[in-house]
CSV table of all heavy atoms in Angstrom, one decimal:
chain,number,residue,atom,x,y,z
W,1,LEU,N,-5.7,17.8,-15.6
W,1,LEU,CA,-5.0,19.1,-15.4
W,1,LEU,C,-4.2,19.0,-14.2
W,1,LEU,O,-4.6,18.8,-13.1
W,1,LEU,CB,-6.1,20.2,-15.2
W,1,LEU,CG,-5.5,21.6,-15.1
W,1,LEU,CD1,-4.8,22.0,-16.3
W,1,LEU,CD2,-6.7,22.6,-14.8
W,2,ARG,N,-2.9,19.2,-14.4
W,2,ARG,CA,-1.9,19.1,-13.3
W,2,ARG,C,-1.1,20.4,-13.3
W,2,ARG,O,-0.6,20.9,-14.3
W,2,ARG,CB,-0.9,18.0,-13.4
W,2,ARG,CG,-1.6,16.6,-13.4
W,2,ARG,CD,-0.5,15.5,-13.4
W,2,ARG,NE,-1.2,14.2,-13.4
W,2,ARG,CZ,-1.5,13.5,-14.5
W,2,ARG,NH1,-1.3,14.0,-15.6
W,2,ARG,NH2,-2.1,12.3,-14.3
W,3,ARG,N,-1.0,21.0,-12.1
W,3,ARG,CA,-0.3,22.3,-12.0
W,3,ARG,C,1.1,22.0,-11.5
W,3,ARG,O,1.3,21.4,-10.4
W,3,ARG,CB,-1.0,23.2,-11.0
W,3,ARG,CG,-2.3,23.8,-11.5
W,3,ARG,CD,-2.8,24.9,-10.6
W,3,ARG,NE,-4.0,25.6,-11.2
W,3,ARG,CZ,-3.9,26.6,-12.1
W,3,ARG,NH1,-2.7,27.0,-12.4
W,3,ARG,NH2,-5.0,27.1,-12.5
W,4,ARG,N,2.1,22.4,-12.2
W,4,ARG,CA,3.5,22.2,-11.9
W,4,ARG,C,4.0,23.4,-11.1
W,4,ARG,O,3.7,24.5,-11.5
W,4,ARG,CB,4.3,21.9,-13.1
W,4,ARG,CG,3.9,20.7,-13.9
W,4,ARG,CD,4.7,20.5,-15.2
W,4,ARG,NE,4.2,19.3,-15.9
W,4,ARG,CZ,4.7,19.0,-17.1
W,4,ARG,NH1,5.6,19.7,-17.6
W,4,ARG,NH2,4.2,17.9,-17.7
W,5,PRO,N,4.8,23.2,-10.1
W,5,PRO,CA,5.2,24.4,-9.3
W,5,PRO,C,6.2,25.2,-10.0
W,5,PRO,O,6.3,26.4,-9.7
W,5,PRO,CB,5.8,23.7,-8.0
W,5,PRO,CG,6.1,22.3,-8.4
W,5,PRO,CD,5.1,21.9,-9.5
W,6,GLN,N,7.0,24.7,-10.9
W,6,GLN,CA,8.0,25.5,-11.6
W,6,GLN,C,7.4,26.3,-12.8
W,6,GLN,O,8.1,27.1,-13.4
W,6,GLN,CB,9.1,24.6,-12.1
W,6,GLN,CG,8.8,23.6,-13.2
W,6,GLN,CD,8.3,22.3,-12.6
W,6,GLN,OE1,8.0,22.2,-11.4
W,6,GLN,NE2,8.4,21.2,-13.4
W,7,THR,N,6.1,26.0,-13.2
W,7,THR,CA,5.5,26.7,-14.3
W,7,THR,C,4.9,28.0,-13.8
W,7,THR,O,4.2,28.1,-12.7
W,7,THR,CB,4.4,25.9,-14.9
W,7,THR,OG1,5.0,24.6,-15.3
W,7,THR,CG2,3.9,26.5,-16.2
W,8,LYS,N,5.1,29.1,-14.5
W,8,LYS,CA,4.5,30.4,-14.2
W,8,LYS,C,3.1,30.5,-14.8
W,8,LYS,O,2.9,30.2,-16.0
W,8,LYS,CB,5.4,31.5,-14.7
W,8,LYS,CG,6.8,31.6,-14.1
W,8,LYS,CD,7.6,32.7,-14.6
W,8,LYS,CE,8.9,32.8,-13.9
W,8,LYS,NZ,9.8,33.9,-14.5
W,9,TYR,N,2.2,31.0,-14.0
W,9,TYR,CA,0.8,31.1,-14.4
W,9,TYR,C,0.4,32.6,-14.3
W,9,TYR,O,0.9,33.3,-13.5
W,9,TYR,CB,-0.2,30.3,-13.5
W,9,TYR,CG,0.1,28.8,-13.7
W,9,TYR,CD1,0.8,28.1,-12.8
W,9,TYR,CD2,-0.5,28.1,-14.8
W,9,TYR,CE1,1.1,26.7,-12.9
W,9,TYR,CE2,-0.3,26.7,-14.9
W,9,TYR,CZ,0.5,26.1,-14.0
W,9,TYR,OH,0.7,24.7,-14.1
W,10,GLN,N,-0.6,33.0,-15.1
W,10,GLN,CA,-1.1,34.3,-15.0
W,10,GLN,C,-2.3,34.4,-14.1
W,10,GLN,O,-3.1,33.5,-14.0
W,10,GLN,CB,-1.5,34.8,-16.4
W,10,GLN,CG,-0.4,34.9,-17.4
W,10,GLN,CD,-0.8,35.4,-18.8
W,10,GLN,OE1,-2.0,35.5,-19.0
W,10,GLN,NE2,0.1,35.7,-19.6
W,11,ASP,N,-2.4,35.5,-13.4
W,11,ASP,CA,-3.5,35.7,-12.5
W,11,ASP,C,-4.3,36.9,-13.1
W,11,ASP,O,-3.9,38.0,-13.0
W,11,ASP,CB,-3.0,36.1,-11.1
W,11,ASP,CG,-4.2,36.1,-10.1
W,11,ASP,OD1,-5.3,35.8,-10.5
W,11,ASP,OD2,-3.9,36.3,-8.9
W,12,PRO,N,-5.5,36.6,-13.6
W,12,PRO,CA,-6.3,37.7,-14.2
W,12,PRO,C,-6.7,38.8,-13.2
W,12,PRO,O,-6.9,39.9,-13.6
W,12,PRO,CB,-7.5,37.0,-14.8
W,12,PRO,CG,-7.1,35.5,-15.0
W,12,PRO,CD,-6.1,35.3,-13.9
W,13,ASP,N,-7.0,38.4,-12.0
W,13,ASP,CA,-7.3,39.4,-11.0
W,13,ASP,C,-6.3,40.4,-10.8
W,13,ASP,O,-6.5,41.6,-10.7
W,13,ASP,CB,-7.7,38.7,-9.6
W,13,ASP,CG,-8.9,37.8,-9.7
W,13,ASP,OD1,-9.8,38.1,-10.6
W,13,ASP,OD2,-9.0,36.9,-9.0
W,14,GLN,N,-5.0,40.0,-10.7
W,14,GLN,CA,-3.9,40.9,-10.5
W,14,GLN,C,-3.7,41.8,-11.8
W,14,GLN,O,-3.3,42.9,-11.7
W,14,GLN,CB,-2.6,40.2,-10.2
W,14,GLN,CG,-2.7,39.5,-8.8
W,14,GLN,CD,-1.3,38.8,-8.5
W,14,GLN,OE1,-0.4,38.8,-9.3
W,14,GLN,NE2,-1.3,38.2,-7.3
W,15,GLN,N,-4.0,41.2,-13.0
W,15,GLN,CA,-3.8,41.9,-14.2
W,15,GLN,C,-4.9,43.0,-14.3
W,15,GLN,O,-4.6,44.1,-14.8
W,15,GLN,CB,-3.9,41.0,-15.4
W,15,GLN,CG,-2.7,40.0,-15.5
W,15,GLN,CD,-2.9,39.1,-16.7
W,15,GLN,OE1,-4.0,38.8,-17.1
W,15,GLN,NE2,-1.8,38.5,-17.1
W,16,ILE,N,-6.1,42.8,-13.9
W,16,ILE,CA,-7.1,43.8,-13.9
W,16,ILE,C,-6.9,44.9,-12.9
W,16,ILE,O,-7.2,46.1,-13.2
W,16,ILE,CB,-8.5,43.1,-13.8
W,16,ILE,CG1,-8.8,42.2,-15.0
W,16,ILE,CG2,-9.6,44.1,-13.6
W,16,ILE,CD1,-10.0,41.3,-14.8
W,17,ALA,N,-6.4,44.5,-11.7
W,17,ALA,CA,-6.3,45.5,-10.6
W,17,ALA,C,-5.0,46.4,-10.8
W,17,ALA,O,-4.8,47.2,-9.9
W,17,ALA,CB,-6.3,44.8,-9.3
W,18,VAL,N,-4.3,46.2,-11.8
W,18,VAL,CA,-3.0,47.0,-11.9
W,18,VAL,C,-3.3,48.4,-12.3
W,18,VAL,O,-4.3,48.7,-12.9
W,18,VAL,CB,-2.1,46.3,-13.0
W,18,VAL,CG1,-2.6,46.6,-14.4
W,18,VAL,CG2,-0.7,46.8,-12.8
W,19,LYS,N,-2.5,49.3,-11.8
W,19,LYS,CA,-2.6,50.8,-12.1
W,19,LYS,C,-1.5,51.2,-13.0
W,19,LYS,O,-0.5,50.5,-13.2
W,19,LYS,CB,-2.6,51.6,-10.8
W,19,LYS,CG,-3.8,51.2,-9.9
W,19,LYS,CD,-3.7,52.0,-8.6
W,19,LYS,CE,-4.9,51.6,-7.7
W,19,LYS,NZ,-4.8,52.4,-6.4
W,20,ARG,N,-1.7,52.4,-13.5
W,20,ARG,CA,-0.6,53.0,-14.4
W,20,ARG,C,0.7,53.2,-13.7
W,20,ARG,O,1.7,52.9,-14.3
W,20,ARG,CB,-1.1,54.3,-15.0
W,20,ARG,CG,-0.2,54.8,-16.1
W,20,ARG,CD,-0.7,56.1,-16.6
W,20,ARG,NE,-0.6,57.2,-15.6
W,20,ARG,CZ,-0.8,58.5,-15.8
W,20,ARG,NH1,-1.2,58.9,-17.0
W,20,ARG,NH2,-0.7,59.3,-14.8
W,21,SER,N,0.6,53.6,-12.4
W,21,SER,CA,1.8,53.8,-11.7
W,21,SER,C,2.6,52.6,-11.4
W,21,SER,O,3.8,52.6,-11.2
W,21,SER,CB,1.5,54.6,-10.4
W,21,SER,OG,0.7,53.7,-9.6
W,22,ASP,N,1.9,51.4,-11.4
W,22,ASP,CA,2.6,50.1,-11.3
W,22,ASP,C,3.4,49.7,-12.5
W,22,ASP,O,4.3,48.9,-12.4
W,22,ASP,CB,1.6,49.1,-10.8
W,22,ASP,CG,0.9,49.4,-9.5
W,22,ASP,OD1,1.5,50.1,-8.7
W,22,ASP,OD2,-0.2,48.9,-9.3
W,23,ARG,N,2.9,50.2,-13.7
W,23,ARG,CA,3.5,49.7,-14.9
W,23,ARG,C,4.5,50.7,-15.5
W,23,ARG,O,5.5,50.3,-16.0
W,23,ARG,CB,2.4,49.5,-16.0
W,23,ARG,CG,1.4,48.4,-15.6
W,23,ARG,CD,1.9,47.1,-15.8
W,23,ARG,NE,0.9,46.0,-15.6
W,23,ARG,CZ,1.2,44.8,-15.7
W,23,ARG,NH1,2.4,44.4,-15.9
W,23,ARG,NH2,0.3,43.9,-15.5
W,24,VAL,N,4.2,52.0,-15.4
W,24,VAL,CA,5.0,53.0,-16.1
W,24,VAL,C,5.6,53.9,-15.0
W,24,VAL,O,4.9,54.4,-14.1
W,24,VAL,CB,4.2,53.8,-17.1
W,24,VAL,CG1,5.0,54.8,-17.8
W,24,VAL,CG2,3.6,52.9,-18.1
W,25,ARG,N,6.9,54.2,-15.1
W,25,ARG,CA,7.5,55.2,-14.2
W,25,ARG,C,8.1,56.3,-15.1
W,25,ARG,O,9.0,56.0,-16.0
W,25,ARG,CB,8.7,54.5,-13.4
W,25,ARG,CG,9.3,55.4,-12.4
W,25,ARG,CD,10.1,54.6,-11.4
W,25,ARG,NE,11.2,53.8,-12.1
W,25,ARG,CZ,12.4,54.2,-12.2
W,25,ARG,NH1,12.8,55.4,-11.7
W,25,ARG,NH2,13.3,53.4,-12.8
W,26,LEU,N,7.7,57.5,-14.9
W,26,LEU,CA,8.1,58.6,-15.7
W,26,LEU,C,9.4,59.2,-15.0
W,26,LEU,O,9.4,59.5,-13.8
W,26,LEU,CB,7.1,59.7,-15.8
W,26,LEU,CG,5.8,59.3,-16.5
W,26,LEU,CD1,4.7,60.4,-16.5
W,26,LEU,CD2,6.1,58.9,-17.9
W,27,VAL,N,10.4,59.4,-15.7
W,27,VAL,CA,11.7,59.9,-15.2
W,27,VAL,C,12.0,61.2,-15.9
W,27,VAL,O,12.0,61.2,-17.2
W,27,VAL,CB,12.8,58.9,-15.4
W,27,VAL,CG1,14.2,59.5,-14.9
W,27,VAL,CG2,12.5,57.6,-14.7
W,28,LYS,N,12.2,62.3,-15.2
W,28,LYS,CA,12.5,63.6,-15.8
W,28,LYS,C,14.1,63.7,-15.8
W,28,LYS,O,14.7,63.6,-14.7
W,28,LYS,CB,11.9,64.7,-15.0
W,28,LYS,CG,10.4,64.7,-15.1
W,28,LYS,CD,9.8,65.9,-14.4
W,28,LYS,CE,8.3,66.0,-14.5
W,28,LYS,NZ,7.7,67.1,-13.9
W,29,MET,N,14.6,64.0,-16.9
W,29,MET,CA,16.0,64.2,-17.1
W,29,MET,C,16.3,65.5,-17.8
W,29,MET,O,15.5,65.9,-18.7
W,29,MET,CB,16.6,63.0,-17.9
W,29,MET,CG,16.5,61.7,-17.1
W,29,MET,SD,17.2,60.3,-18.1
W,29,MET,CE,18.9,60.9,-18.2
């Protein structure tokens, strides 16, 4: 197993700790 610096990896801790406000932005028009 070799980690390449140019490859993007997922971080499960950040995915679990995300909130709705970080993902969705409601805009009133």
Side-chain angles (χ1 to χ4, degrees):
L1 184 63
R2 296 185 181 91
R3 290 191 173 271
R4 299 178 181 175
Q6 65 269 19
T7 305
K8 294 181 179 179
Y9 295 98
Q10 295 181 353
D11 191 358
D13 293 333
Q14 292 182 1
Q15 290 176 339
I16 294 172
V18 74
K19 297 178 182 178
R20 187 183 67 174
S21 59
D22 299 332
R23 296 285 186 184
V24 180
R25 184 166 59 95
L26 298 176
V27 178
K28 292 184 180 181
M29 296 179 61

